[in-house]
Short mmCIF file of all heavy atoms in Angstrom, two decimals:
data_model
loop_
_atom_site.label_atom_id
_atom_site.label_comp_id
_atom_site.label_asym_id
_atom_site.label_seq_id
_atom_site.Cartn_x
_atom_site.Cartn_y
_atom_site.Cartn_z
N ILE A 47 -8.41 3.84 -3.48
CA ILE A 47 -9.85 4.20 -3.55
C ILE A 47 -10.01 5.66 -3.88
O ILE A 47 -10.63 6.05 -4.92
CB ILE A 47 -10.58 3.96 -2.17
CG1 ILE A 47 -10.47 2.50 -1.77
CG2 ILE A 47 -12.04 4.36 -2.35
CD1 ILE A 47 -10.99 2.18 -0.35
N ILE A 48 -9.38 6.58 -3.13
CA ILE A 48 -9.65 7.95 -3.31
C ILE A 48 -8.64 8.75 -2.43
O ILE A 48 -8.04 8.22 -1.53
CB ILE A 48 -11.14 8.32 -2.89
CG1 ILE A 48 -11.57 9.66 -3.47
CG2 ILE A 48 -11.26 8.27 -1.33
CD1 ILE A 48 -13.07 9.79 -3.35
N HIS A 49 -8.44 10.04 -2.76
CA HIS A 49 -7.61 10.84 -1.89
C HIS A 49 -8.10 12.23 -2.05
O HIS A 49 -8.82 12.71 -2.94
CB HIS A 49 -6.10 10.80 -2.23
CG HIS A 49 -5.71 11.44 -3.50
ND1 HIS A 49 -5.85 10.87 -4.79
CD2 HIS A 49 -5.17 12.71 -3.70
CE1 HIS A 49 -5.44 11.71 -5.73
NE2 HIS A 49 -4.95 12.81 -5.13
N GLY A 50 -7.74 13.08 -0.99
CA GLY A 50 -8.11 14.46 -1.04
C GLY A 50 -7.19 15.38 -0.15
O GLY A 50 -6.53 14.84 0.73
N LEU A 51 -7.30 16.62 -0.28
CA LEU A 51 -6.50 17.58 0.52
C LEU A 51 -7.43 18.30 1.51
O LEU A 51 -7.15 18.23 2.71
CB LEU A 51 -5.78 18.56 -0.37
CG LEU A 51 -4.96 19.62 0.36
CD1 LEU A 51 -3.78 18.86 1.06
CD2 LEU A 51 -4.33 20.62 -0.62
N LYS A 52 -8.31 19.03 1.06
CA LYS A 52 -9.25 19.70 1.96
C LYS A 52 -10.69 19.76 1.46
O LYS A 52 -11.64 19.81 2.23
CB LYS A 52 -8.82 21.09 2.27
CG LYS A 52 -8.53 22.02 1.04
CD LYS A 52 -7.97 23.32 1.43
CE LYS A 52 -7.60 24.18 0.27
NZ LYS A 52 -7.01 25.47 0.64
N ASN A 53 -10.88 19.62 0.10
CA ASN A 53 -12.28 19.61 -0.42
C ASN A 53 -12.76 18.15 -0.41
O ASN A 53 -12.01 17.21 -0.49
CB ASN A 53 -12.22 20.12 -1.90
CG ASN A 53 -11.78 21.52 -1.92
OD1 ASN A 53 -12.12 22.31 -1.06
ND2 ASN A 53 -11.02 21.89 -2.89
N ASN A 54 -14.08 18.02 -0.36
CA ASN A 54 -14.66 16.77 -0.51
C ASN A 54 -14.46 16.20 -1.91
O ASN A 54 -14.41 17.00 -2.93
CB ASN A 54 -16.18 16.78 -0.17
CG ASN A 54 -16.41 17.28 1.19
OD1 ASN A 54 -15.57 17.19 2.12
ND2 ASN A 54 -17.58 17.86 1.46
N GLU A 55 -14.26 14.91 -2.03
CA GLU A 55 -14.06 14.25 -3.31
C GLU A 55 -14.98 13.10 -3.52
O GLU A 55 -15.44 12.45 -2.56
CB GLU A 55 -12.53 13.78 -3.36
CG GLU A 55 -11.50 14.84 -3.06
CD GLU A 55 -11.31 15.76 -4.28
OE1 GLU A 55 -11.83 15.46 -5.42
OE2 GLU A 55 -10.68 16.83 -4.08
N THR A 56 -15.30 12.85 -4.83
CA THR A 56 -16.12 11.75 -5.15
C THR A 56 -15.61 11.12 -6.40
O THR A 56 -15.17 11.82 -7.35
CB THR A 56 -17.59 12.19 -5.34
OG1 THR A 56 -18.14 12.65 -4.14
CG2 THR A 56 -18.44 11.03 -5.82
N ASN A 57 -15.61 9.81 -6.43
CA ASN A 57 -15.26 9.10 -7.70
C ASN A 57 -16.29 7.91 -7.82
O ASN A 57 -17.23 7.81 -7.07
CB ASN A 57 -13.81 8.68 -7.78
CG ASN A 57 -13.41 7.71 -6.71
OD1 ASN A 57 -14.23 7.06 -6.09
ND2 ASN A 57 -12.08 7.61 -6.43
N GLU A 58 -15.97 7.04 -8.72
CA GLU A 58 -16.90 5.92 -8.99
C GLU A 58 -16.93 4.97 -7.84
O GLU A 58 -17.92 4.15 -7.85
CB GLU A 58 -16.57 5.27 -10.33
CG GLU A 58 -15.19 4.57 -10.35
CD GLU A 58 -14.07 5.40 -10.56
OE1 GLU A 58 -14.26 6.70 -10.68
OE2 GLU A 58 -12.90 4.96 -10.73
N MET A 59 -15.99 4.95 -7.03
CA MET A 59 -15.95 3.93 -5.95
C MET A 59 -16.53 4.55 -4.63
O MET A 59 -17.18 3.83 -3.89
CB MET A 59 -14.53 3.56 -5.66
CG MET A 59 -13.87 2.63 -6.68
SD MET A 59 -12.24 2.14 -6.22
CE MET A 59 -12.59 1.05 -4.87
N ALA A 60 -16.31 5.82 -4.32
CA ALA A 60 -16.54 6.31 -2.95
C ALA A 60 -16.58 7.81 -2.99
O ALA A 60 -16.19 8.49 -3.91
CB ALA A 60 -15.49 5.79 -1.96
N SER A 61 -16.98 8.33 -1.86
CA SER A 61 -16.83 9.78 -1.50
C SER A 61 -15.97 10.00 -0.26
O SER A 61 -15.99 9.13 0.59
CB SER A 61 -18.27 10.41 -1.19
OG SER A 61 -19.06 10.38 -2.37
N LEU A 62 -15.21 11.06 -0.26
CA LEU A 62 -14.36 11.36 0.87
C LEU A 62 -14.82 12.74 1.41
O LEU A 62 -14.84 13.72 0.67
CB LEU A 62 -12.94 11.40 0.36
CG LEU A 62 -11.88 11.91 1.44
CD1 LEU A 62 -11.87 11.02 2.71
CD2 LEU A 62 -10.48 11.91 0.82
N ILE A 63 -15.11 12.72 2.64
CA ILE A 63 -15.56 13.96 3.29
C ILE A 63 -14.51 14.33 4.36
O ILE A 63 -14.16 13.56 5.22
CB ILE A 63 -16.93 13.83 4.06
CG1 ILE A 63 -18.03 13.27 3.11
CG2 ILE A 63 -17.37 15.19 4.64
CD1 ILE A 63 -18.35 14.04 1.90
N ILE A 64 -13.98 15.55 4.19
CA ILE A 64 -12.86 15.99 5.03
C ILE A 64 -13.41 17.22 5.86
O ILE A 64 -13.97 18.13 5.25
CB ILE A 64 -11.53 16.45 4.29
CG1 ILE A 64 -11.08 15.23 3.43
CG2 ILE A 64 -10.50 16.85 5.23
CD1 ILE A 64 -9.92 15.59 2.49
N THR A 65 -13.26 17.12 7.15
CA THR A 65 -13.74 18.25 7.96
C THR A 65 -13.03 19.53 7.68
O THR A 65 -11.82 19.55 7.14
CB THR A 65 -13.66 17.93 9.52
OG1 THR A 65 -12.28 17.68 9.80
CG2 THR A 65 -14.53 16.75 9.78
N GLU A 66 -13.61 20.65 7.99
CA GLU A 66 -13.02 21.96 7.65
C GLU A 66 -11.63 22.11 8.29
O GLU A 66 -10.70 22.78 7.70
CB GLU A 66 -13.91 23.08 8.08
CG GLU A 66 -13.53 24.45 7.44
CD GLU A 66 -14.61 25.48 7.71
OE1 GLU A 66 -15.81 25.11 8.07
OE2 GLU A 66 -14.26 26.63 7.60
N ASP A 67 -11.44 21.63 9.55
CA ASP A 67 -10.14 21.79 10.18
C ASP A 67 -9.14 20.63 9.72
O ASP A 67 -8.03 20.62 10.22
CB ASP A 67 -10.34 21.71 11.69
CG ASP A 67 -10.87 20.48 12.21
OD1 ASP A 67 -11.03 19.53 11.47
OD2 ASP A 67 -11.20 20.39 13.45
N ARG A 68 -9.61 19.73 8.84
CA ARG A 68 -8.81 18.64 8.28
C ARG A 68 -8.33 17.64 9.35
O ARG A 68 -7.48 16.89 9.08
CB ARG A 68 -7.61 19.17 7.56
CG ARG A 68 -7.98 20.12 6.39
CD ARG A 68 -7.07 20.15 5.24
NE ARG A 68 -5.68 20.04 5.60
CZ ARG A 68 -4.81 19.12 5.16
NH1 ARG A 68 -5.28 18.21 4.32
NH2 ARG A 68 -3.55 19.18 5.51
N LYS A 69 -8.89 17.71 10.57
CA LYS A 69 -8.42 16.74 11.55
C LYS A 69 -9.13 15.43 11.47
O LYS A 69 -8.77 14.50 12.26
CB LYS A 69 -8.62 17.38 12.95
CG LYS A 69 -7.69 18.61 13.17
CD LYS A 69 -7.77 19.12 14.52
CE LYS A 69 -6.81 20.27 14.78
NZ LYS A 69 -6.83 20.80 16.15
N SER A 70 -10.12 15.28 10.68
CA SER A 70 -10.79 14.00 10.56
C SER A 70 -11.43 13.89 9.14
O SER A 70 -11.61 14.91 8.51
CB SER A 70 -11.83 13.68 11.57
OG SER A 70 -12.84 14.67 11.49
N SER A 71 -11.74 12.65 8.75
CA SER A 71 -12.39 12.49 7.49
C SER A 71 -13.27 11.24 7.54
O SER A 71 -13.17 10.42 8.46
CB SER A 71 -11.37 12.32 6.36
OG SER A 71 -10.51 11.18 6.59
N THR A 72 -14.12 11.05 6.56
CA THR A 72 -15.03 9.95 6.48
C THR A 72 -15.05 9.41 5.05
O THR A 72 -15.29 10.26 4.06
CB THR A 72 -16.49 10.27 6.87
OG1 THR A 72 -16.45 10.76 8.23
CG2 THR A 72 -17.34 9.05 6.85
N LEU A 73 -14.81 8.14 4.84
CA LEU A 73 -14.98 7.52 3.59
C LEU A 73 -16.37 6.93 3.48
O LEU A 73 -16.79 6.26 4.41
CB LEU A 73 -14.00 6.35 3.37
CG LEU A 73 -14.11 5.60 2.16
CD1 LEU A 73 -13.49 6.46 0.96
CD2 LEU A 73 -13.32 4.29 2.17
N ILE A 74 -17.06 7.24 2.43
CA ILE A 74 -18.45 6.75 2.27
C ILE A 74 -18.62 5.87 1.02
O ILE A 74 -18.19 6.28 -0.06
CB ILE A 74 -19.46 7.92 2.13
CG1 ILE A 74 -19.40 8.87 3.40
CG2 ILE A 74 -20.86 7.45 1.88
CD1 ILE A 74 -20.18 10.14 3.21
N LEU A 75 -19.00 4.61 1.29
CA LEU A 75 -19.34 3.72 0.21
C LEU A 75 -20.84 3.81 0.13
O LEU A 75 -21.51 3.24 1.02
CB LEU A 75 -18.90 2.29 0.51
CG LEU A 75 -17.36 2.08 0.90
CD1 LEU A 75 -17.12 0.66 1.23
CD2 LEU A 75 -16.51 2.60 -0.19
N PRO A 76 -21.43 4.33 -0.93
CA PRO A 76 -22.81 4.70 -0.95
C PRO A 76 -23.80 3.55 -0.81
O PRO A 76 -24.83 3.58 -0.19
CB PRO A 76 -23.00 5.52 -2.15
CG PRO A 76 -21.89 5.20 -3.03
CD PRO A 76 -20.75 4.79 -2.15
N HIS A 77 -23.52 2.46 -1.51
CA HIS A 77 -24.34 1.22 -1.52
C HIS A 77 -23.43 0.03 -1.35
O HIS A 77 -23.01 -0.55 -2.37
CB HIS A 77 -25.12 1.14 -2.80
CG HIS A 77 -25.99 2.32 -3.13
ND1 HIS A 77 -27.09 2.79 -2.44
CD2 HIS A 77 -25.74 3.32 -3.96
CE1 HIS A 77 -27.55 3.92 -2.84
NE2 HIS A 77 -26.77 4.32 -3.91
N ALA A 78 -23.13 -0.33 -0.10
CA ALA A 78 -22.19 -1.44 0.07
C ALA A 78 -22.70 -2.74 -0.43
O ALA A 78 -23.84 -3.07 -0.28
CB ALA A 78 -21.89 -1.47 1.60
N THR A 79 -21.78 -3.49 -1.04
CA THR A 79 -22.03 -4.84 -1.41
C THR A 79 -21.17 -5.81 -0.67
O THR A 79 -20.19 -5.41 -0.02
CB THR A 79 -21.83 -5.05 -2.99
OG1 THR A 79 -20.38 -5.02 -3.18
CG2 THR A 79 -22.52 -3.89 -3.70
N LEU A 80 -21.39 -7.09 -0.76
CA LEU A 80 -20.65 -8.11 -0.13
C LEU A 80 -19.15 -8.06 -0.56
O LEU A 80 -18.23 -8.27 0.22
CB LEU A 80 -21.18 -9.49 -0.35
CG LEU A 80 -22.61 -9.78 0.11
CD1 LEU A 80 -23.11 -11.17 -0.29
CD2 LEU A 80 -22.76 -9.58 1.60
N ARG A 81 -18.93 -7.62 -1.82
CA ARG A 81 -17.56 -7.54 -2.32
C ARG A 81 -16.79 -6.33 -1.73
O ARG A 81 -15.61 -6.25 -1.99
CB ARG A 81 -17.64 -7.42 -3.85
CG ARG A 81 -17.91 -8.70 -4.54
CD ARG A 81 -18.04 -8.54 -6.10
NE ARG A 81 -19.13 -7.56 -6.37
CZ ARG A 81 -19.43 -7.33 -7.69
NH1 ARG A 81 -18.75 -7.79 -8.63
NH2 ARG A 81 -20.43 -6.54 -7.91
N ASP A 82 -17.50 -5.54 -1.01
CA ASP A 82 -16.80 -4.40 -0.32
C ASP A 82 -16.17 -4.80 1.08
O ASP A 82 -15.50 -4.06 1.71
CB ASP A 82 -17.74 -3.20 -0.11
CG ASP A 82 -18.16 -2.55 -1.38
OD1 ASP A 82 -17.23 -2.39 -2.31
OD2 ASP A 82 -19.34 -2.14 -1.52
N THR A 83 -16.47 -6.08 1.46
CA THR A 83 -15.85 -6.56 2.68
C THR A 83 -14.35 -6.61 2.51
O THR A 83 -13.83 -7.21 1.61
CB THR A 83 -16.33 -8.05 2.96
OG1 THR A 83 -17.79 -7.90 3.32
CG2 THR A 83 -15.61 -8.57 4.12
N ALA A 84 -13.59 -5.91 3.38
CA ALA A 84 -12.20 -5.64 3.24
C ALA A 84 -11.63 -4.91 4.38
O ALA A 84 -12.40 -4.47 5.26
CB ALA A 84 -11.86 -4.86 1.99
N VAL A 85 -10.31 -4.74 4.46
CA VAL A 85 -9.74 -3.87 5.45
C VAL A 85 -9.51 -2.50 4.75
O VAL A 85 -8.88 -2.47 3.61
CB VAL A 85 -8.44 -4.43 6.03
CG1 VAL A 85 -7.76 -3.42 6.92
CG2 VAL A 85 -8.60 -5.78 6.72
N TYR A 86 -9.94 -1.45 5.38
CA TYR A 86 -9.84 -0.04 4.78
C TYR A 86 -8.78 0.69 5.59
O TYR A 86 -8.86 0.85 6.78
CB TYR A 86 -11.19 0.62 4.82
CG TYR A 86 -12.11 -0.01 3.84
CD1 TYR A 86 -12.79 -1.23 4.03
CD2 TYR A 86 -12.45 0.69 2.60
CE1 TYR A 86 -13.62 -1.78 3.14
CE2 TYR A 86 -13.21 0.20 1.64
CZ TYR A 86 -13.87 -1.06 1.93
OH TYR A 86 -14.69 -1.64 0.98
N TYR A 87 -7.82 1.25 4.86
CA TYR A 87 -6.76 1.99 5.43
C TYR A 87 -6.88 3.47 5.07
O TYR A 87 -6.98 3.91 3.92
CB TYR A 87 -5.43 1.53 4.89
CG TYR A 87 -5.01 0.08 5.20
CD1 TYR A 87 -5.21 -0.96 4.29
CD2 TYR A 87 -4.56 -0.23 6.48
CE1 TYR A 87 -4.92 -2.26 4.63
CE2 TYR A 87 -4.17 -1.53 6.81
CZ TYR A 87 -4.33 -2.54 5.83
OH TYR A 87 -4.06 -3.83 6.16
N CYS A 88 -6.75 4.26 6.13
CA CYS A 88 -6.68 5.74 5.96
C CYS A 88 -5.28 6.15 6.17
O CYS A 88 -4.70 5.80 7.22
CB CYS A 88 -7.71 6.42 6.95
SG CYS A 88 -7.57 8.19 7.18
N ILE A 89 -4.70 6.88 5.32
CA ILE A 89 -3.34 7.25 5.43
C ILE A 89 -3.09 8.74 5.06
O ILE A 89 -3.68 9.22 4.13
CB ILE A 89 -2.46 6.40 4.37
CG1 ILE A 89 -2.70 4.90 4.69
CG2 ILE A 89 -0.97 6.75 4.42
CD1 ILE A 89 -2.22 4.00 3.51
#
Side-chain angles (χ1 to χ4, degrees):
Chain A
I47 301 173
I48 198 167
H49 74 280
L51 181 61
K52 53 185 176 181
N53 297 322
N54 297 338
E55 301 288 345
T56 295
N57 63 19
E58 66 277 5
M59 289 183 68
S61 294
L62 173 60
I63 309 298
I64 302 174
T65 57
E66 192 169 345
D67 63 8
R68 302 209 320 124
K69 292 185 176 182
S70 66
S71 60
T72 301
L73 178 75
I74 301 173
L75 308 179
H77 306 286
T79 71
L80 298 179
R81 287 176 295 181
D82 292 321
T83 292
V85 177
Y86 287 76
Y87 296 99
C88 170
I89 302 164

